[in-house]
C-alpha cells in the first residue's frame, strides 16, 4: 500500500491478518450535529483565489451600507446566522439554520433580502412562517468556476432586481472556461438571464449578464425549477462492495442515474459499512420495494424517510471503526520480544503521537494493473483516448467484466462490449454508449468522459492529487522529521469570515522556527491545484520537480473540455485518533506461555476508534502495526 513511506513514531509494532472477512472491519459514519456554531471537522473546502492583479473588479452593485440584519433579526439571531455562515464557508454542507418567525409577510421579505445581500452564498426559504437558510447550491457551483468576489457580486446583482442593470465578470482569456461559465448560468438561470461574451478595449474577453424581458426577478427556488423535487434519505449497509459500485446497482434497479445519489464520502469495499445517502426522484415507497432484492446483492436499505435536500461530500463529523486483527504475531526481526508489550507500546504511541495522514488504498482503487491516479494524470494532460484505454485495462482474471474490458481494448468495439457487461457497471456502460456514437478518438473519448457524472470524473483527478500529497508528506518527514522549519505551512484557526483559505495558511519564518512556535500537528501540505501556495523550502521545490516529471509543470489544474476545476486545498501531515479502546482475545488454553508472555497463536486484537473525515483506518493501523496490508 505505502511500502516506502515513513511513520510518525519509531515503535516496533507487530503483524496480523486484516480484513479476513467483511465482519472484521465495520465502519459507521458519525453525522454532524443538526445545527450549531462549532466548525465541522471536515477538511477545509478548497477556494479559488481571486484573479491575478491588474484586472478590473467585477461590475455589479455596491455592498449595502451598514448591516440591516441586526435590526431585522435581533443581535442574538444575527450572531447565530454569522456563525452558521462562517462554518459553511469552511466546510460546505453545514445543514440548515432556522431564523424563526420574524413577523408578517413584509418583515419576512426584509429578512430574505438582508440575508442574501449580506451572505450571497446562502439560500433562504419560508416554511409556514419560519425563515430557513442553507448553502445555495447555485453559488457553490459558480464558485468552482469563478472567484469569490465575482460569485458574490453576481448573486447580489441577481437578488437586487434592478431594472436594466447588467453584471460583468472579470476578463477571461480562456474560451473553454468562458463556455463552462455560460453553460452553468444558462442551466441555472436561463429563464431569467441571458449571457454574452464581449471584447474589452484591451483585447480581453469578458462575460456580461442581463435580465430577460419583463419576467419575474426572483431567484428560482433551489432544487425545484419546475416544481417540488423529491428526495429520499436512507442508510445504506453494504458488504464487500465499493460505494460507487453499490450506487450503480441501486441506480439500475430504480431507473435513475448514479448522479441522482448523494453521499458524504467513499467507504471501504472489504468491510461492512453504514452510511447515509439521499436519492433524488425516488419516493420512500419505491425505495422500500427493492429492499429484499438488494439484500441478495450485499446491501440493506434502512431508515428510509423523506428529505428536503441532497448530501454533500465532507458533510460528516467523521467515522467510527470496529476492527479485528487476527493471527497476531511479532515481526520476524523482533521474535524475542513480548507481544503484549509491543501492542501496549503501539497503542500508547498512536494516542500521543498520532499517525501520518496518508491517503489510503481506497483512494486509488483495487486494480493491480492500473490505478485511478494514472487515469487522473491522463485527464489532467487532456490525453482523453489514453485515459479511456487505462479505464478499460483489465485485470488478469476471466470474469465477465474483465473479459469485456479485454475485448474492447483488442477491438475498440464499443457496441459489442456493451452487450458483455453486467447491468450494474453503469459507468462503463455510459462511457461505451458515447464511444459507440462518437468514436474512439479524442472527440469521442472527450464526449465519453462527459457522459459520466462530474463527481466520478473528478474522482480520478483527485486520486492523482492524493498520490502527489502522499509522496510529498513522506519526503517532508524524511528531510525535516517532526521539527517545524522555516518555509513550512501551518493552518491558523482564524474565525474571521472575510479571510480566504489561503489567508489562514501561514508560512513559518526563521524567528518562529528558532522559537519553536508551532508543532508538527499544525503543519499542512497542499493538495495540488490552481489556487494554493507551496512551502517556501525544499518541499516546495520538490512539488515543482515532481509535477514536471509528470509533464504538469505548466498545468493550470483546469480541464475545460471536461468541466473540471481543481483549486486545491490543504491537509494536515499528522492526525490523531479519538475514543481509542482495545482488548486482546484468544482461546483460554495457551494464551500465555511458561514465561507468562502472550502466546502468538490464535490471538486477535479488537480495536475501536474514531477518525476525522478523509482519514483512513488502514493508514492508522499501518502506523500501529508497522506493516503494509
Amino acid at each position: 500500500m505505502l511500502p516506502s513511506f515513513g511513520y510518525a513514531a519509531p515503535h516496533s509494532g507487530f503483524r496480523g491478518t486484516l480484513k479476513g472477512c467483511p465482519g472484521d472491519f465495520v465502519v459507521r459514519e458519525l453525522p454532524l450535529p443538526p445545527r450549531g456554531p462549532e466548525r465541522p471537522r471536515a477538511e477545509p473546502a478548497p477556494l479559488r483565489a481571486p484573479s491575478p492583479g491588474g484586472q478590473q473588479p467585477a461590475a455589479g452593485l455596491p455592498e449595502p451600507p451598514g448591516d440591516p440584519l441586526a435590526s431585522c433579526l435581533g443581535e442574538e439571531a444575527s450572531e447565530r446566522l454569522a456563525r452558521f455562515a462562517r462554518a459553511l464557508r469552511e466546510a460546505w454542507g453545514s445543514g440548515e439554520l432556522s431564523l424563526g418567525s420574524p413577523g408578517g409577510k413584509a418583515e419576512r421579505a426584509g429578512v430574505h433580502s438582508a440575508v442574501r445581500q449580506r451572505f450571497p452564498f446562502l439560500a433562504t426559504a419560508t416554511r409556514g412562517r419560519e425563515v430557513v437558510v442553507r448553502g445555495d447550491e447555485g453559488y457553490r457551483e459558480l464558485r468552482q468556476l469563478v472567484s469569490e468576489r465575482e460569485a458574490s457580486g453576481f448573486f447580489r446583482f441577481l437578488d437586487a432586481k434592478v431594472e436594466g442593470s447588467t453584471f460583468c465578470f472579470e476578463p477571461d482569456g480562456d474560451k473553454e472556461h468562458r463556455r463552462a461559465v455560460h453553460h452553468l448560468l444558462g442551466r441555472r438561470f436561463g429563464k431569467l438571464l441571458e449571457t454574452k461574451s464581449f471584447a474589452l478595449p484591451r483585447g480581453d474577453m469578458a462575460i456580461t449578464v442581463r435580465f430577460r424581458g419583463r419576467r419575474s426577478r426572483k431567484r428560482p427556488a433551489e432544487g425545484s425549477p419546475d416544481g417540488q423535487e423529491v428526495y429520499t434519505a436512507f442508510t445504506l449497509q453494504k458488504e464487500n462492495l465499493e460505494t460507487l459500485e453499490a450506487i450503480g446497482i441501486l441506480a439500475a434497479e430504480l431507473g435513475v442515474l448514479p448522479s441522482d445519489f448523494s453521499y458524504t464520502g467513499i467507504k471501504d469495499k472489504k468491510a461492512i459499512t453504514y452510511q447515509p445517502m439521499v436519492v433524488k426522484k425516488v419516493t420512500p415507497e419505491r425505495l422500500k420495494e427493492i429492499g429484499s432484492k438488494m439484500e441478495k446483492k450485499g446491501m440493506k436499505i434502512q431508515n428510509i424517510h423523506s428529505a428536503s435536500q441532497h448530501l454533500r461530500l465532507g458533510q460528516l463529523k467523521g467515522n467510527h471503526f470496529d476492527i479485528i486483527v487476527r493471527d497476531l504475531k511479532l515481526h520476524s526481526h523482533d521474535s524475542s520480544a513480548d507481544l503484549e508489550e509491543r501492542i501496549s507500546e503501539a497503542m500508547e504511541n498512536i494516542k500521543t503521537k498520532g499517525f501520518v495522514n496518508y491517503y489510503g488504498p481506497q483512494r486509488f482503487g483495487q486494480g493491480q494493473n492500473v490505478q485511478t491516479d494514472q487515469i487522473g494524470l491522463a485527464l489532467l494532460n487532456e490525453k482523453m483516448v489514453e485515459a479511456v484505454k487505462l479505464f478499460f485495462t483489465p485485470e488478469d482474471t476471466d470474469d465477465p467484466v474483465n473479459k469485456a474490458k479485454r475485448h474492447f481494448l483488442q477491438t475498440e468495439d464499443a457496441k459489442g462490449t456493451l452487450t458483455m457487461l453486467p447491468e450494474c457497471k453503469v459507468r462503463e456502460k455510459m462511457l461505451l454508449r458515447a464511444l459507440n456514437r462518437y468514436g474512439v478518438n479524442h472527440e469521442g473519448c472527450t464526449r465519453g468522459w462527459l457522459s459520466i457524472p462530474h463527481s466520478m470524473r473528478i474522482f480520478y483527478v483527485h486520486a492523482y492529487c492524493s498520490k502527489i500529497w502522499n509522496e510529498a508528506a513522506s519526503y517532508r518527514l524524511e528531510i525535516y522529521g517532526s521539527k517545524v522549519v522555516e518555509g513550512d505551512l501551518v493552518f491558523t484557526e482564524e474565525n474571521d469570515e472575510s479571510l480566504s483559505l489561503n489567508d489562514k495558511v501561514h508560512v513559518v519564518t526563521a524567528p518562529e522556527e528558532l522559537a519553536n512556535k508551532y508543532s508538527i500537528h499544525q503543519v499542512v501540505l497542499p493538495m495540488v491545484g490552481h489556487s494554493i501556495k507551496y512551502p517556501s523550502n525544499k518541499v516546495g521545490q520538490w512539488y515543482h520537480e515532481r509535477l514536471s516529471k509528470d509533464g504538469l509543470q505548466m498545468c493550470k489544474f483546469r480541464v475545460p473540455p471536461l468541466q473540471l476545476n481543481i483549486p486545491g486545498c490543504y491537509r494536515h501531515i499528522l492526525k490523531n485518533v479519538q475514543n481509542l479502546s482495545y482488548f486482546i482475545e484468544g482461546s483460554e488454553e495457551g494464551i500465555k506461555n511458561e514465561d507468562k508472555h502472550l502466546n502468538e497463536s490464535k490471538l486477535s486484537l479488537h480495536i475501536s476508534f474514531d477518525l476525522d473525515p478523509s482519514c483512513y483506518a488502514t493508514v492508522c493501523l499501518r502506523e500501529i502495526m508497522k506493516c503494509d496490508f
Side-chain angles (χ1 to χ4, degrees):
M1 183 180 71
L2 306 168
S4 62
F5 292 171
Y7 297 97
H11 63 265
S12 297
F14 51 92
R15 293 183 293 156
T17 302
L18 182 65
K19 297 186 178 182
C21 65
D24 286 353
F25 202 97
V26 180
V27 188
R28 291 179 173 84
E29 202 164 283
L30 300 173
L32 283 171
R35 61 175 76 122
E38 292 186 4
R39 181 185 301 173
R41 292 188 293 171
E43 290 285 316
L47 299 176
R48 180 178 182 261
S51 298
Q55 295 183 344
Q56 296 297 316
L61 297 171
E63 294 271 357
D67 184 1
L69 279 174
S71 58
C72 292
L73 298 173
E75 290 186 3
E76 181 180 348
S78 180
E79 179 58 25
R80 280 195 297 114
L81 176 61
R83 290 196 299 265
F84 173 83
R86 284 196 296 268
L88 184 70
R89 285 182 62 177
E90 289 302 316
W92 193 273
S94 297
E96 60 182 31
L97 175 71
S98 171
L99 298 179
S101 303
K105 184 175 181 180
E107 288 78 12
R108 290 197 298 274
V111 170
H112 284 290
S113 177
V115 169
R116 288 171 170 178
Q117 286 295 312
R118 178 69 182 86
F119 302 109
F121 52 90
L122 295 180
T124 62
T126 300
R127 293 180 185 164
R129 294 180 176 274
E130 180 187 33
V131 176
V132 177
V133 297
R134 62 177 179 268
D136 190 301
E137 191 63 21
Y139 182 98
R140 186 189 71 82
E141 285 192 54
L142 183 61
R143 182 66 181 81
Q144 294 296 312
L145 293 173
V146 303
S147 70
E148 187 170 10
R149 179 174 58 177
E150 291 171 280
S152 296
F154 170 78
F155 273 84
R156 288 194 176 102
F157 157 80
L158 187 63
D159 285 312
K161 315 177 189 72
V162 176
E163 193 71 28
S165 64
T166 61
F167 178 85
C168 180
F169 286 92
E170 293 181 2
D172 185 357
D174 188 333
K175 183 177 179 180
E176 292 297 331
H177 185 251
R178 292 199 307 274
R179 182 181 297 172
V181 175
H182 280 297
H183 176 78
L184 171 61
L185 296 178
R187 176 168 55 85
R188 277 277 177 182
F189 310 106
K191 293 181 180 179
L192 292 175
L193 307 170
E194 58 186 16
T195 65
K196 182 180 179 181
S197 291
F198 73 104
L200 297 172
R202 293 176 300 174
D204 292 330
M205 299 293 291
I207 296 173
T208 57
V209 183
R210 66 184 179 90
F211 289 108
R212 292 182 184 276
R214 291 182 169 273
R215 299 189 181 190
S216 168
R217 304 292 189 259
K218 290 185 179 180
R219 189 188 301 186
E222 184 187 356
S224 55
D226 300 312
Q228 187 63 40
E229 194 78 79
V230 175
Y231 293 94
T232 297
F234 61 99
T235 299
L236 176 67
Q237 176 189 336
K238 63 178 182 64
E239 180 175 331
N240 207 29
L241 282 172
E242 293 179 349
T243 299
L244 297 179
E245 182 182 5
I247 287 174
I249 294 171
L250 289 168
E253 185 63 33
L254 293 166
V256 297
L257 296 173
S259 56
D260 290 321
F261 288 82
S262 57
Y263 47 91
T264 62
I266 301 290
K267 298 291 180 282
D268 299 76
K269 175 181 180 179
K270 295 181 179 179
I272 297 175
T273 67
Y274 300 80
Q275 65 183 122
M277 284 193 177
V278 172
V279 59
K280 189 167 60 174
K281 298 183 284 195
V282 175
T283 64
E285 292 72 25
R286 174 71 181 111
L287 194 57
K288 290 175 184 176
E289 289 175 1
I290 69 168
S292 58
K293 190 171 184 179
M294 293 301 101
E295 286 191 24
K296 298 175 183 176
K297 299 185 178 183
M299 291 180 279
K300 290 184 179 179
I301 304 171
Q302 304 165 342
N303 305 324
I304 301 172
H305 59 278
S306 296
S308 60
Q309 60 180 329
H310 61 264
L311 295 172
R312 299 178 182 90
L313 288 171
Q315 188 182 343
L316 73 163
K317 182 181 179 182
N319 292 288
H320 174 78
F321 298 88
D322 292 299
I323 297 169
I324 303 175
V325 183
R326 300 187 184 276
D327 305 322
L328 299 179
K329 295 179 176 66
L330 292 162
H331 286 298
S332 57
H333 63 269
D334 194 37
S335 57
S336 62
D338 183 344
L339 180 58
E340 185 174 17
E341 288 182 3
R342 287 293 183 249
I343 294 172
S344 176
E345 175 189 42
M347 294 304 173
E348 186 59 32
N349 272 340
I350 202 70
K351 284 180 184 178
T352 58
K353 298 182 180 179
F355 61 96
V356 187
N357 195 23
Y358 297 121
Y359 287 95
Q362 305 94 305
R363 193 75 164 185
F364 310 107
Q366 303 296 321
Q368 298 299 314
N369 293 333
V370 170
Q371 294 194 314
T372 53
D373 61 275
Q374 295 171 261
I375 300 172
L377 175 59
L379 293 176
L380 280 171
N381 280 313
E382 298 193 27
K383 297 178 179 178
M384 304 303 180
V385 177
E386 179 183 329
V388 164
K389 292 189 175 181
L390 287 169
F391 180 83
F392 282 106
T393 298
E395 296 299 315
D396 300 327
T397 60
D398 285 326
D399 59 277
V401 173
N402 283 298
K403 281 184 177 179
K405 289 182 175 182
R406 198 170 290 113
H407 173 77
F408 176 78
L409 282 189
Q410 292 169 351
T411 65
E412 294 188 357
D413 174 17
K415 187 175 182 180
T417 308
L418 270 169
T419 64
M420 300 171 67
L421 280 169
E423 285 301 317
C424 64
K425 292 299 176 182
V426 178
R427 271 177 296 173
E428 289 83 349
K429 283 180 170 287
M430 284 179 167
L431 221 165
L432 286 166
R433 288 189 188 101
L435 296 177
N436 182 50
R437 182 174 181 181
Y438 300 109
V440 186
N441 49 46
H442 181 83
E443 177 64 21
C445 290
T446 301
R447 288 176 176 265
W449 285 112
L450 281 170
S451 70
I452 67 176
H454 180 272
S455 60
M456 293 182 180
R457 294 199 300 275
I458 206 163
F459 170 79
Y460 296 103
V461 176
H462 284 166
Y464 173 78
C465 299
S466 302
K467 177 187 179 183
I468 298 301
W469 191 95
N470 278 0
E471 293 178 12
S474 181
Y475 177 77
R476 163 62 182 77
L477 292 172
E478 178 186 346
I479 62 168
Y480 294 131
S482 60
K483 180 177 174 58
V484 181
V485 301
E486 181 182 1
D488 274 339
L489 304 180
V490 293
F491 193 73
T492 58
E493 297 295 330
E494 294 284 349
N495 291 322
D496 186 349
E497 69 176 70
S498 65
L499 294 178
S500 71
L501 183 62
N502 272 340
D503 290 333
K504 296 179 182 180
V505 175
H506 170 70
V507 182
V508 176
T509 64
E512 288 170 339
E513 176 186 346
L514 290 173
N516 294 317
K517 182 174 180 179
Y518 299 103
S519 79
I520 187 64
H521 282 84
Q522 293 173 279
V523 175
V524 296
L525 287 175
M527 280 276 282
V528 290
H530 60 69
S531 294
I532 50 91
K533 54 187 175 185
Y534 292 98
S536 56
N537 52 29
K538 291 181 180 179
V539 180
Q541 181 62 31
W542 178 92
Y543 269 101
H544 294 296
E545 292 173 358
R546 181 64 184 82
L547 292 176
S548 295
K549 182 180 176 182
D550 284 338
L552 297 177
Q553 61 271 30
M554 303 299 291
C555 181
K556 296 180 179 179
F557 289 95
R558 290 190 181 95
V559 188
L562 300 184
Q563 300 171 15
L564 297 179
N565 184 52
I566 304 94
C569 62
Y570 300 91
R571 181 177 176 89
H572 285 91
I573 291 181
L574 297 186
K575 274 289 187 176
N576 290 317
V577 299
Q578 296 94 38
N579 303 318
L580 174 69
S581 64
Y582 72 96
F583 66 90
I584 298 168
E585 181 184 48
S587 60
E588 292 189 7
E589 295 182 7
I591 290 184
K592 294 196 175 182
N593 62 21
E594 293 179 358
D595 297 325
K596 298 184 179 179
H597 289 170
L598 283 177
N599 193 324
E600 292 182 348
S601 63
K602 298 183 180 179
L603 290 178
S604 299
L605 173 67
H606 294 246
I607 181 170
S608 297
F609 52 84
D610 298 342
L611 293 179
D612 285 348
S614 193
C615 293
Y616 292 80
T618 45
V619 173
C620 178
L621 287 168
R622 174 183 180 271
E623 177 72 40
I624 291 171
M625 298 171 64
K626 294 292 189 286
C627 61
D628 290 290
F629 304 105

